Amino acid sequence: MGEGQTELARLARDLDALTGAGMLLEVASHDVQFTPVMLRLIVRHGEFAAQRARRLLATEYRPAGDRGGTDEGGS
């Protein structure tokens, strides 16, 4: 598996972790000790996912002829 494919697999795992954390948070949001732990997990995996996606866009999926930086803005 190439480096780009490896990064995509890692990104998928980060997104899976976010989905799982979101579901757990929804179920157990009444627990004041559990909620901050899940929120920190969501922030951590969200940051990892964003970094990986930016890196992939800047390297593996950069449009032909694009010499600029990563797309930091939204639509």
Side-chain angles (χ1 to χ4, degrees):
M1 185 182 320
E3 189 174 326
Q5 291 297 323
T6 300
E7 280 298 298
L8 281 174
R10 289 177 180 149
L11 176 58
R13 284 194 302 270
D14 289 335
L15 295 173
D16 284 345
L18 282 169
T19 301
M23 288 190 299
L24 285 171
L25 185 62
E26 186 176 348
V27 170
S29 61
H30 64 279
D31 185 336
V32 296
Q33 292 180 330
F34 179 75
T35 299
V37 171
M38 293 313 297
L39 291 174
R40 285 192 290 276
L41 181 71
I42 289 168
V43 167
R44 181 176 169 215
H45 282 283
E47 289 171 349
F48 287 159
Q51 288 171 0
R52 287 187 208 288
R54 281 189 205 103
R55 189 169 37 250
L56 283 164
L57 283 170
T59 58
E60 301 291 323
Y61 297 97
R62 183 174 55 193
D66 182 6
R67 301 277 184 228
T70 61
D71 181 9
E72 295 289 330
S75 352

